[in-house]
Amino acid sequence: MIEIFIEKTGKVGEFTYQEHKYFLDKKTGKLVAFQPAPEYTEVKVFEKPLTFSKRFRKLKKIGEVESL
């Protein structure tokens, strides 16, 4: 199961975070795919899942899918 999150961090000082989409494996918490904002065109699926930290990020869960 893959959870889909959108980053809602907003502004930190003068820096504004874009609302990228992250696809995380529900069991391991690793990043399996990424979709850059603002165009949301192509989902980049990683061959090997990457370590991903939710620390210092505000993420909003927007859905789940079985696989990519």
Side-chain angles (χ1 to χ4, degrees):
M1 183 67 70
I2 297 172
E3 297 178 304
I4 306 168
F5 292 91
I6 190 164
E7 187 161 22
K8 303 300 281 181
T9 304
K11 269 188 120 170
V12 175
E14 295 296 316
F15 183 76
T16 303
Y17 285 89
Q18 292 187 349
E19 296 183 344
H20 301 300
K21 289 182 184 175
Y22 299 96
F23 298 79
L24 304 175
D25 185 286
K26 191 171 187 173
K27 285 186 179 180
T28 64
K30 292 197 174 196
L31 183 66
V32 293
F34 172 76
Q35 190 174 25
E39 62 276 355
Y40 296 128
T41 54
E42 187 177 323
V43 176
K44 181 177 181 180
V45 179
F46 302 111
E47 289 181 25
K48 183 177 177 184
L50 304 173
T51 302
F52 183 80
S53 176
K54 293 181 183 178
R55 189 175 182 186
F56 303 117
R57 297 176 191 253
K58 295 178 185 169
L59 300 172
K60 179 181 177 185
K61 185 175 177 179
I62 58 172
E64 287 185 357
V65 293
E66 283 294 322
S67 64
L68 294 177

